[in-house]
Short mmCIF file of all heavy atoms in Angstrom, two decimals:
data_model
loop_
_atom_site.label_atom_id
_atom_site.label_comp_id
_atom_site.label_asym_id
_atom_site.label_seq_id
_atom_site.Cartn_x
_atom_site.Cartn_y
_atom_site.Cartn_z
N ASN A 244 72.03 -13.86 -28.18
CA ASN A 244 72.22 -13.56 -29.60
C ASN A 244 70.96 -13.07 -30.32
O ASN A 244 71.07 -12.35 -31.24
CB ASN A 244 72.71 -14.82 -30.28
CG ASN A 244 74.18 -15.12 -30.07
OD1 ASN A 244 74.88 -14.27 -29.55
ND2 ASN A 244 74.59 -16.32 -30.41
N ALA A 245 69.77 -13.37 -29.73
CA ALA A 245 68.57 -12.84 -30.27
C ALA A 245 68.55 -11.31 -30.13
O ALA A 245 67.92 -10.61 -30.96
CB ALA A 245 67.34 -13.46 -29.63
N LYS A 246 69.15 -10.83 -29.06
CA LYS A 246 69.24 -9.34 -28.86
C LYS A 246 70.57 -8.80 -29.27
O LYS A 246 70.80 -7.58 -29.12
CB LYS A 246 68.99 -9.05 -27.36
CG LYS A 246 67.60 -9.42 -26.86
CD LYS A 246 67.41 -9.05 -25.42
CE LYS A 246 66.00 -9.35 -24.92
NZ LYS A 246 65.85 -8.97 -23.50
N ASN A 247 71.49 -9.64 -29.75
CA ASN A 247 72.85 -9.24 -30.12
C ASN A 247 73.54 -8.48 -28.98
O ASN A 247 74.15 -7.49 -29.19
CB ASN A 247 72.76 -8.33 -31.35
CG ASN A 247 73.92 -8.65 -32.36
OD1 ASN A 247 74.80 -9.46 -32.03
ND2 ASN A 247 73.96 -7.87 -33.43
N THR A 248 73.40 -9.08 -27.80
CA THR A 248 73.91 -8.40 -26.61
C THR A 248 74.73 -9.37 -25.77
O THR A 248 74.28 -10.50 -25.55
CB THR A 248 72.75 -7.84 -25.75
OG1 THR A 248 72.03 -6.91 -26.55
CG2 THR A 248 73.24 -7.17 -24.48
N VAL A 249 75.83 -8.90 -25.23
CA VAL A 249 76.64 -9.65 -24.29
C VAL A 249 76.58 -8.95 -22.96
O VAL A 249 76.51 -7.80 -22.87
CB VAL A 249 78.10 -9.72 -24.81
CG1 VAL A 249 78.98 -10.40 -23.77
CG2 VAL A 249 78.18 -10.51 -26.13
N TYR A 250 76.55 -9.80 -21.91
CA TYR A 250 76.39 -9.33 -20.55
C TYR A 250 77.58 -9.62 -19.71
O TYR A 250 78.19 -10.72 -19.85
CB TYR A 250 75.14 -9.88 -19.91
CG TYR A 250 73.87 -9.61 -20.65
CD1 TYR A 250 73.31 -10.53 -21.52
CD2 TYR A 250 73.18 -8.38 -20.48
CE1 TYR A 250 72.17 -10.36 -22.20
CE2 TYR A 250 72.05 -8.14 -21.19
CZ TYR A 250 71.52 -9.12 -22.08
OH TYR A 250 70.33 -8.88 -22.81
N LEU A 251 77.90 -8.75 -18.81
CA LEU A 251 78.86 -9.01 -17.76
C LEU A 251 78.18 -8.80 -16.49
O LEU A 251 77.92 -7.70 -16.02
CB LEU A 251 80.06 -8.06 -17.90
CG LEU A 251 81.17 -8.19 -16.81
CD1 LEU A 251 81.79 -9.57 -16.84
CD2 LEU A 251 82.20 -7.07 -16.93
N GLN A 252 77.87 -9.93 -15.83
CA GLN A 252 77.22 -9.92 -14.48
C GLN A 252 78.33 -9.81 -13.40
O GLN A 252 79.22 -10.71 -13.36
CB GLN A 252 76.39 -11.14 -14.26
CG GLN A 252 75.70 -11.21 -12.93
CD GLN A 252 74.68 -10.18 -12.72
OE1 GLN A 252 73.84 -9.94 -13.54
NE2 GLN A 252 74.73 -9.48 -11.60
N MET A 253 78.28 -8.81 -12.62
CA MET A 253 79.31 -8.56 -11.58
C MET A 253 78.68 -8.63 -10.20
O MET A 253 77.84 -7.79 -9.92
CB MET A 253 80.00 -7.27 -11.80
CG MET A 253 80.62 -7.03 -13.23
SD MET A 253 81.55 -5.54 -13.37
CE MET A 253 80.20 -4.34 -13.19
N ASN A 254 79.07 -9.58 -9.44
CA ASN A 254 78.61 -9.77 -8.11
C ASN A 254 79.73 -9.57 -7.12
O ASN A 254 80.91 -9.64 -7.45
CB ASN A 254 77.95 -11.18 -7.94
CG ASN A 254 76.80 -11.43 -8.81
OD1 ASN A 254 76.02 -10.51 -9.09
ND2 ASN A 254 76.63 -12.66 -9.28
N SER A 255 79.36 -9.35 -5.88
CA SER A 255 80.34 -9.20 -4.78
C SER A 255 81.44 -8.19 -5.19
O SER A 255 82.59 -8.44 -5.03
CB SER A 255 80.97 -10.53 -4.41
OG SER A 255 80.02 -11.49 -4.01
N LEU A 256 81.00 -7.04 -5.66
CA LEU A 256 81.90 -6.05 -6.21
C LEU A 256 82.80 -5.52 -5.07
O LEU A 256 82.38 -5.31 -3.93
CB LEU A 256 81.14 -4.93 -6.84
CG LEU A 256 80.64 -5.25 -8.22
CD1 LEU A 256 79.56 -4.23 -8.67
CD2 LEU A 256 81.85 -5.16 -9.22
N GLU A 257 83.99 -5.24 -5.40
CA GLU A 257 85.03 -4.72 -4.53
C GLU A 257 85.52 -3.38 -5.00
O GLU A 257 85.41 -3.10 -6.18
CB GLU A 257 86.19 -5.69 -4.38
CG GLU A 257 85.78 -7.16 -3.96
CD GLU A 257 86.91 -8.15 -4.09
OE1 GLU A 257 87.96 -7.72 -4.65
OE2 GLU A 257 86.75 -9.29 -3.70
N PRO A 258 86.01 -2.54 -4.13
CA PRO A 258 86.56 -1.26 -4.62
C PRO A 258 87.63 -1.43 -5.67
O PRO A 258 87.69 -0.56 -6.53
CB PRO A 258 87.18 -0.68 -3.28
CG PRO A 258 86.39 -1.29 -2.20
CD PRO A 258 86.08 -2.63 -2.61
N GLU A 259 88.33 -2.51 -5.67
CA GLU A 259 89.30 -2.75 -6.68
C GLU A 259 88.76 -3.00 -8.06
O GLU A 259 89.46 -2.93 -9.07
CB GLU A 259 90.25 -3.99 -6.27
CG GLU A 259 91.10 -3.74 -5.09
CD GLU A 259 90.36 -3.82 -3.77
OE1 GLU A 259 89.19 -4.29 -3.75
OE2 GLU A 259 90.87 -3.43 -2.77
N ASP A 260 87.46 -3.24 -8.16
CA ASP A 260 86.80 -3.46 -9.41
C ASP A 260 86.39 -2.13 -10.07
O ASP A 260 86.00 -2.17 -11.24
CB ASP A 260 85.53 -4.29 -9.24
CG ASP A 260 85.85 -5.67 -8.75
OD1 ASP A 260 86.81 -6.32 -9.20
OD2 ASP A 260 85.14 -6.20 -7.81
N ALA A 261 86.54 -1.02 -9.38
CA ALA A 261 86.15 0.25 -9.92
C ALA A 261 86.98 0.54 -11.19
O ALA A 261 88.27 0.52 -11.11
CB ALA A 261 86.24 1.33 -8.94
N ALA A 262 86.39 0.89 -12.23
CA ALA A 262 87.07 1.21 -13.52
C ALA A 262 86.07 1.58 -14.57
O ALA A 262 84.86 1.48 -14.36
CB ALA A 262 87.92 0.01 -13.97
N VAL A 263 86.51 2.01 -15.67
CA VAL A 263 85.73 2.09 -16.89
C VAL A 263 85.82 0.75 -17.57
O VAL A 263 86.89 0.21 -17.81
CB VAL A 263 86.23 3.17 -17.85
CG1 VAL A 263 85.40 3.18 -19.13
CG2 VAL A 263 86.17 4.56 -17.21
N TYR A 264 84.62 0.19 -17.84
CA TYR A 264 84.54 -1.17 -18.46
C TYR A 264 84.24 -1.01 -19.93
O TYR A 264 83.34 -0.25 -20.30
CB TYR A 264 83.50 -2.00 -17.78
CG TYR A 264 84.04 -2.59 -16.43
CD1 TYR A 264 84.16 -1.77 -15.33
CD2 TYR A 264 84.28 -3.92 -16.34
CE1 TYR A 264 84.64 -2.27 -14.11
CE2 TYR A 264 84.75 -4.43 -15.11
CZ TYR A 264 84.94 -3.61 -14.02
OH TYR A 264 85.39 -4.14 -12.82
N TYR A 265 84.98 -1.73 -20.78
CA TYR A 265 84.82 -1.72 -22.20
C TYR A 265 84.51 -3.11 -22.68
O TYR A 265 85.08 -4.11 -22.21
CB TYR A 265 86.09 -1.23 -22.89
CG TYR A 265 86.54 0.16 -22.50
CD1 TYR A 265 87.37 0.33 -21.41
CD2 TYR A 265 86.17 1.27 -23.28
CE1 TYR A 265 87.82 1.61 -21.11
CE2 TYR A 265 86.58 2.50 -22.92
CZ TYR A 265 87.46 2.69 -21.85
OH TYR A 265 87.91 3.94 -21.50
N CYS A 266 83.70 -3.16 -23.70
CA CYS A 266 83.51 -4.42 -24.45
C CYS A 266 84.17 -4.22 -25.83
O CYS A 266 84.26 -3.09 -26.33
CB CYS A 266 82.08 -4.88 -24.58
SG CYS A 266 81.03 -3.85 -25.57
N ALA A 267 84.56 -5.35 -26.40
CA ALA A 267 85.24 -5.29 -27.75
C ALA A 267 84.89 -6.63 -28.47
O ALA A 267 84.55 -7.69 -27.82
CB ALA A 267 86.68 -5.17 -27.55
N GLN A 268 84.90 -6.50 -29.80
CA GLN A 268 84.63 -7.74 -30.56
C GLN A 268 85.75 -7.91 -31.58
O GLN A 268 86.33 -6.95 -32.14
CB GLN A 268 83.31 -7.62 -31.31
CG GLN A 268 82.13 -7.85 -30.37
CD GLN A 268 80.85 -8.08 -31.16
OE1 GLN A 268 80.77 -7.89 -32.39
NE2 GLN A 268 79.76 -8.39 -30.47
N GLY A 269 86.08 -9.16 -31.86
CA GLY A 269 87.04 -9.57 -32.87
C GLY A 269 86.59 -10.86 -33.50
O GLY A 269 85.51 -11.32 -33.28
N LEU A 270 87.48 -11.36 -34.37
CA LEU A 270 87.15 -12.59 -35.11
C LEU A 270 87.00 -13.79 -34.22
O LEU A 270 86.29 -14.78 -34.60
CB LEU A 270 88.17 -12.83 -36.17
CG LEU A 270 88.20 -11.81 -37.28
CD1 LEU A 270 89.32 -12.17 -38.28
CD2 LEU A 270 86.91 -11.70 -38.01
N SER A 271 87.64 -13.79 -33.06
CA SER A 271 87.56 -14.90 -32.10
C SER A 271 87.88 -14.41 -30.77
O SER A 271 88.27 -13.24 -30.57
CB SER A 271 88.50 -16.02 -32.51
OG SER A 271 89.86 -15.58 -32.52
N THR A 272 87.79 -15.24 -29.74
CA THR A 272 88.05 -14.86 -28.40
C THR A 272 89.56 -14.66 -28.19
O THR A 272 90.39 -15.35 -28.84
CB THR A 272 87.54 -15.90 -27.38
OG1 THR A 272 88.14 -17.18 -27.75
CG2 THR A 272 86.05 -16.03 -27.46
N SER A 273 89.96 -13.75 -27.40
CA SER A 273 91.31 -13.45 -27.14
C SER A 273 91.48 -12.65 -25.87
O SER A 273 90.56 -11.99 -25.39
CB SER A 273 91.94 -12.64 -28.36
OG SER A 273 93.25 -12.24 -28.09
N VAL A 274 92.65 -12.76 -25.25
CA VAL A 274 93.03 -11.95 -24.07
C VAL A 274 93.74 -10.65 -24.47
O VAL A 274 93.99 -9.88 -23.58
CB VAL A 274 93.89 -12.78 -23.13
CG1 VAL A 274 93.18 -14.07 -22.69
CG2 VAL A 274 95.26 -13.10 -23.67
N TYR A 275 94.02 -10.48 -25.73
CA TYR A 275 94.87 -9.41 -26.12
C TYR A 275 94.11 -8.25 -26.69
O TYR A 275 93.16 -8.44 -27.57
CB TYR A 275 95.90 -9.86 -27.18
CG TYR A 275 96.77 -10.97 -26.71
CD1 TYR A 275 96.68 -12.27 -27.29
CD2 TYR A 275 97.78 -10.72 -25.80
CE1 TYR A 275 97.47 -13.27 -26.79
CE2 TYR A 275 98.57 -11.76 -25.31
CZ TYR A 275 98.45 -13.03 -25.87
OH TYR A 275 99.27 -14.01 -25.41
N VAL A 276 94.36 -7.03 -26.24
CA VAL A 276 93.70 -5.83 -26.78
C VAL A 276 93.85 -5.79 -28.29
O VAL A 276 92.92 -5.37 -28.98
CB VAL A 276 94.33 -4.55 -26.16
CG1 VAL A 276 93.82 -3.31 -26.83
CG2 VAL A 276 93.94 -4.54 -24.65
N ARG A 277 95.05 -6.08 -28.78
CA ARG A 277 95.33 -5.93 -30.21
C ARG A 277 94.44 -6.87 -31.11
O ARG A 277 94.46 -6.68 -32.31
CB ARG A 277 96.83 -6.16 -30.50
CG ARG A 277 97.30 -7.61 -30.24
CD ARG A 277 98.79 -7.74 -30.55
NE ARG A 277 99.23 -9.14 -30.40
CZ ARG A 277 99.81 -9.61 -29.29
NH1 ARG A 277 99.93 -8.81 -28.25
NH2 ARG A 277 100.16 -10.84 -29.24
N SER A 278 93.93 -7.89 -30.48
CA SER A 278 93.12 -8.86 -31.24
C SER A 278 91.75 -8.37 -31.60
O SER A 278 91.04 -9.01 -32.39
CB SER A 278 93.03 -10.17 -30.50
OG SER A 278 94.35 -10.72 -30.29
N TYR A 279 91.35 -7.26 -30.97
CA TYR A 279 89.96 -6.86 -31.13
C TYR A 279 89.86 -5.64 -32.08
O TYR A 279 90.64 -4.78 -32.00
CB TYR A 279 89.34 -6.49 -29.74
CG TYR A 279 89.16 -7.64 -28.90
CD1 TYR A 279 90.15 -8.06 -28.00
CD2 TYR A 279 87.96 -8.44 -28.95
CE1 TYR A 279 90.00 -9.22 -27.21
CE2 TYR A 279 87.83 -9.50 -28.14
CZ TYR A 279 88.84 -9.97 -27.31
OH TYR A 279 88.66 -11.04 -26.51
N ASP A 280 88.88 -5.72 -32.93
CA ASP A 280 88.73 -4.73 -34.02
C ASP A 280 87.75 -3.59 -33.66
O ASP A 280 87.90 -2.48 -34.14
CB ASP A 280 88.26 -5.40 -35.30
CG ASP A 280 89.21 -6.50 -35.78
OD1 ASP A 280 90.38 -6.24 -35.90
OD2 ASP A 280 88.72 -7.63 -36.01
N TYR A 281 86.79 -3.90 -32.81
CA TYR A 281 85.76 -2.93 -32.52
C TYR A 281 85.63 -2.79 -31.03
O TYR A 281 85.67 -3.78 -30.25
CB TYR A 281 84.41 -3.40 -33.12
CG TYR A 281 84.53 -3.67 -34.57
CD1 TYR A 281 84.59 -4.99 -35.03
CD2 TYR A 281 84.56 -2.64 -35.48
CE1 TYR A 281 84.64 -5.29 -36.38
CE2 TYR A 281 84.63 -2.94 -36.83
CZ TYR A 281 84.69 -4.26 -37.28
OH TYR A 281 84.78 -4.55 -38.59
#
């Protein structure tokens, strides 16, 4: 939070993990795309 940064550490990567990765923020945690505003 001091850097206002969230990290996703990915180990033991597999070909199935290949993708464009996005981060998003909302008012609270959620599994739904529609819940995120930014």
Side-chain angles (χ1 to χ4, degrees):
N244 284 347
K246 296 182 178 180
N247 218 359
T248 300
V249 173
Y250 303 97
L251 177 64
Q252 179 67 48
M253 304 185 295
N254 299 324
S255 301
L256 282 162
E257 304 169 354
E259 294 77 14
D260 297 316
V263 176
Y264 282 72
Y265 300 88
C266 67
Q268 287 194 351
L270 294 178
S271 62
T272 58
S273 175
V274 304
Y275 302 111
V276 169
R277 66 177 184 269
S278 298
Y279 293 91
D280 301 308
Y281 308 102

